[in-house]
Amino acid sequence: MSRTYDYDLLVIGAGSGGVRAARIAAGHGAKVAVAEEYRVGGTCVIRGCVPKKLLVYGAHFAEDLVDAERFGWQLQGKAFDWPTLRDNVLAEVDRLNGLYKNTLASHEVTVIEGHARFVDAHRVDIGGKTVSAGHILIATGARPAVPDVEGAEHGITSNEIFHLDRLPKSMIIAGGGYIANEFAGVFHEFGTSVTLLNRSDKILREWEPALVDRLLTISLAKGLNFRFNCRLSRIEKTESGVRLHFVDGGTQDADQLLWATGRVPNTEGLGLEAAGVETGALGAILVDEANATNIKHIHAVGDVTNRVQLTPVAIREGHAFADSVFGNKPWRVDYRCIPSAVFSNPPLGSVGLTEAQARDECGSVRVYTSDFRPMKNVLAGRNERALYKLIVDASTDVVVGAHMIGPDAPEILQAVAIAVKAKLTKAQFDDTIALHPTMSEELVLMR
Ligand code: FAD
């Protein structure tokens, strides 16, 4: 590759997509640098999937310890200590941050710390130092969107939640997406009184409605509070926390307010206009199927493109970019059948079409459901039912969607996603002998 520039590739953002792209491009022989303004690892590792999932594990013990007594275990003096969990989670994040740095170093990728801003289409200012590159990959991710309401600064976002000094006694979580529902489940189990506040009457709007209804029913029974169709007029700081004022009158106090009101692509302050890169709604970078922007040598992957905001998708896009541009092995990401989960309590897992989508796309569909109380819940005296739903294209018998809520649903769903992606038929599901006694055997027993 030509050495007219300092680097063959400059990646902006050392997150899921950026790190993968840098590593693979370097493996193909490119001279690579990565600019990072915060911490190597990005959202997923530092303040997203990983610390969140560790909190979910921590929260689960609350119910497991109660259930344990029904299984003969006598546990005295059990208590939850937030600082212990918080510090252990943050230490694990530090460890992973170190591993990511080592990976980049071992691939001879240079990490340049600082905020990156385009000077022109080939040059980028990183914390006062100008670096030039033949190709530039924008992988700057997304950041929490905070609503434009008076006093919004008195709330925190998912960026801060992992660092709380102490456990709030009460928390209002504004939002109805997966992040809101996950933190609601976690903090409720830690003993915080949680209210989920939503501006419409729907949460998890992309999800199969039957599963969402089940989550609501179970969450209400557990004691979570919901306020729907709620509009905020302002937020006031109080001695103990915040007071939320609603447009239709009334207030609600809480120790903590968490904004979980969506995420916007990180393009502000990037100087895209200096490079001539076009953006679309919410400032997302517009790319084609090969992740190329309107400027030939500038590509973008991950959340900053606002296509599918999930780590494995960002990683795959970064990998496809690096193989295509530097490895002489062009390939494109297949966006069909991306499995997803909500690590709520209980969790949801889903792949493929919902029933409504399938009716639109396939015309005639068959729907199979299994509504059951997991064996463990029966002995524990826990009245929580799981719900599995398979959507089948009636004309081909192909399973086009699988949706589940219940213990370990995301773990089970990943395996089902292979079958749905492979377009297996309902007859092939039925032909598989059940693995007994499991919850997942329901998948091959639905008649
Ligand atoms: P990121 O990983 O966000 O990396 C972008 C990097 O760019 C950051 O390190 C940032 O500091 C840096 N940066 C930004 N601007 C600049 C600049 N101008 N100069 C230099 N550096 C810059 N996804 C899942 O698949 N499963 C989950 O369970 C899940 N849970 C989540 C939970 C939470 C609370 C959050 C917030 C997200 C979660 N996600 C989850 C989403 C996932 O984290 C993102 O989809 C993923 O990290 C996107 O990767 P990325 O490479 O696009 O960007």
Side-chain angles (χ1 to χ4, degrees):
M1 208 153 278
S2 121
R3 292 287 182 237
T4 323
Y5 302 106
D6 299 332
Y7 295 96
D8 299 322
L9 170 66
L10 171 66
V11 178
I12 307 180
S16 306
V19 168
R20 174 60 67 93
R23 182 166 74 72
I24 300 298
H28 289 312
K31 186 181 177 198
V32 184
V34 182
E36 174 52 55
E37 68 178 2
Y38 184 54
R39 297 186 72 188
V40 171
T43 304
C44 178
V45 173
I46 308 293
R47 46 198 186 184
C49 337
V50 172
K52 179 270 308 273
K53 187 72 190 287
L54 292 171
L55 292 191
V56 169
Y57 281 129
H60 234 276
F61 283 98
E63 291 182 349
D64 289 346
L65 289 170
V66 171
D67 294 352
E69 295 186 7
R70 288 279 303 162
F71 288 83
W73 293 90
Q74 290 172 15
L75 303 153
Q76 274 90 37
K78 50 186 192 286
F80 174 64
D81 184 50
W82 163 253
T84 303
L85 177 61
R86 179 201 59 204
D87 293 348
N88 288 343
V89 168
L90 294 179
E92 175 59 7
V93 166
D94 288 346
R95 188 184 72 84
L96 292 172
N97 169 244
L99 284 184
Y100 271 72
K101 283 182 173 165
N102 289 346
T103 302
L104 290 177
S106 66
H107 284 81
E108 295 181 7
V109 172
T110 307
V111 176
I112 308 173
E113 290 176 8
H115 177 81
R117 187 184 177 89
F118 280 93
V119 175
D120 58 34
H122 279 286
R123 290 184 306 147
V124 175
D125 175 280
I126 309 167
K129 183 182 169 202
T130 300
V131 169
S132 66
H135 290 267
I136 298 173
L137 178 69
I138 305 169
T140 49
R143 63 177 189 283
V146 173
D148 187 14
V149 56
E150 187 188 327
E153 69 278 9
H154 302 312
I156 59 166
T157 69
S158 58
N159 285 351
E160 293 78 40
I161 193 91
F162 302 107
H163 299 266
L164 291 178
D165 286 340
R166 63 193 119 73
L167 198 61
K169 286 203 179 69
S170 56
M171 183 186 282
I172 296 175
I173 302 180
Y178 81 96
I179 293 177
N181 281 281
E182 291 177 342
F183 284 122
V186 162
F187 281 92
H188 174 76
E189 293 307 319
F190 291 159
T192 299
S193 166
V194 174
T195 302
L196 208 135
L197 196 116
N198 200 25
R199 62 185 172 174
S200 75
D201 59 356
K202 281 200 172 57
I203 56 166
L204 300 172
R205 38 176 76 243
E206 313 285 310
W207 285 75
E208 179 63 42
L211 271 58
V212 178
D213 285 349
R214 180 60 52 92
L215 177 65
L216 268 172
T217 308
I218 295 176
S219 300
L220 285 165
K222 284 183 193 294
L224 274 93
N225 308 299
F226 291 85
R227 281 185 88 135
F228 291 120
N229 300 313
C230 244
R231 300 225 163 238
L232 290 166
S233 59
R234 70 187 171 95
I235 291 117
E236 183 191 344
K237 178 121 191 70
T238 61
E239 219 164 274
S240 59
V242 287
R243 175 164 300 150
L244 274 63
H245 294 259
F246 301 107
V247 170
D248 57 0
T251 60
Q252 186 174 345
D253 288 3
D255 286 356
Q256 193 79 66
L257 166 66
L258 172 68
W259 297 117
T261 35
R263 294 180 59 78
V264 285
N266 249 334
T267 46
E268 244 176 51
L270 248 186
L272 290 175
E273 52 298 337
V277 174
E278 283 173 2
T279 55
L282 297 175
I285 296 184
L286 299 172
V287 287
D288 64 15
E289 284 186 335
N291 301 301
T293 69
N294 59 310
I295 307 294
K296 214 173 102 237
H297 64 275
I298 302 181
H299 291 69
V301 296
D303 285 7
V304 74
T305 64
N306 206 14
R307 288 172 288 182
V308 182
Q309 293 196 339
L310 289 174
T311 284
V313 177
I315 290 175
R316 207 163 263 229
E317 288 170 354
H319 202 131
F321 156 78
D323 274 352
S324 304
V325 175
F326 293 97
N328 203 21
K329 287 191 283 186
W331 60 276
R332 282 170 189 193
V333 176
D334 178 358
Y335 292 94
R336 285 174 305 123
C337 288
I338 298 172
S340 57
V342 183
F343 294 95
S344 44
N345 183 21
L348 281 70
S350 174
V351 66
L353 305 177
T354 61
E355 183 180 342
Q357 288 167 337
R359 289 197 190 283
D360 278 350
E361 280 190 32
C362 313
S364 167
V365 298
R366 294 198 309 270
V367 177
Y368 298 84
T369 54
S370 177
D371 187 338
F372 63 100
R373 198 166 162 210
M375 191 190 258
K376 182 167 169 257
N377 284 356
V378 176
L379 194 73
R382 187 170 287 285
N383 191 22
E384 278 174 32
R385 299 181 70 81
L387 179 67
Y388 292 5
K389 197 163 171 178
L390 286 184
I391 319 289
V392 177
D393 180 340
S395 59
T396 58
D397 196 41
V398 169
V399 178
V400 291
H403 312 276
M404 44 215 293
I405 176 169
D408 296 327
E411 299 291 342
I412 301 166
L413 195 278
Q414 174 72 84
V416 188
I418 302 170
V420 175
K421 177 105 207 244
K423 298 192 169 138
L424 296 194
T425 61
K426 179 67 169 61
Q428 287 169 310
F429 272 60
D430 296 348
D431 194 37
T432 307
I433 293 181
L435 176 61
H436 184 74
T438 61
M439 291 176 286
S440 49
E441 68 180 312
E442 295 299 322
L443 288 165
V444 298
L445 297 175
M446 289 188 221
R447 298 288 187 266

